[in-house]
Amino acid sequence: MRPIDKLRQMLLAQRRALFEQVARAADDLRWLDTNTHPETEEEAQEQNIANLLARLDDRGNAELRIVDRALTLIEEGDYGTCEDCGDPIPVERLEVLPTATTCVFCAEARERNSRQAVAS
Ligand SMILES: [Zn+2]
């Protein structure tokens, strides 16, 4: 199996797991919505769970977008190229992080930049 095929499999598996996670969170949220009793003392607790599920849902959807983007790049033949400097991303990095769209150096540079943006 070519490394790219293996990475594609990993991404597809990740996509499936995320779909399930998001679907489950959405299901639980619906259940809570229809079973919330505003006057009971559990209300606050249910609200907490709802918030948690909503966050899980958001994060799951954000991750799904990242996975989808990587899969699109594979289809277009642009996968494995750093989108900042254009260098090939080493397969070892992609095997650890199949959704990586930058090389390690550019990823670190981005992180430094975002930290600076937060600090200033
Ligand atoms: Zn780079």
Side-chain angles (χ1 to χ4, degrees), residues 4 18-19 25 41 48-49 58-59 64 67 69 71 84-85 101-102 104 115 118 120:
I4 191 125
L18 282 167
F19 254 130
E41 50 194 49
N48 279 342
I49 298 171
D58 282 350
R59 210 173 42 206
L64 263 178
V67 171
R69 186 169 150 63
L71 284 166
D84 282 4
C85 70
T101 55
T102 60
V104 178
R115 255 207 304 272
V118 169
S120 61

Side-chain angles (χ1 to χ4, degrees), residues 81-87 89 101-107:
T81 302
C82 174
E83 60 183 16
D84 282 4
C85 70
D87 279 355
I89 304 172
T101 55
T102 60
C103 67
V104 178
F105 302 108
C106 292

Side-chain angles (χ1 to χ4, degrees), residues 1 4-22 24 60 63-64 66-68 70-71 74 79 95 98-99:
M1 201 190 268
I4 191 125
D5 291 329
K6 193 173 136 207
L7 291 164
R8 192 162 173 275
Q9 295 293 323
M10 285 169 72
L11 284 163
L12 287 172
Q14 200 178 338
R15 191 166 190 273
R16 233 178 351 254
L18 282 167
F19 254 130
E20 276 165 26
Q21 181 195 312
V22 169
R24 234 188 342 259
E63 279 177 41
L64 263 178
I66 293 171
V67 171
D68 274 345
L71 284 166
I74 290 179
Y79 183 71
E95 276 172 354
T99 50

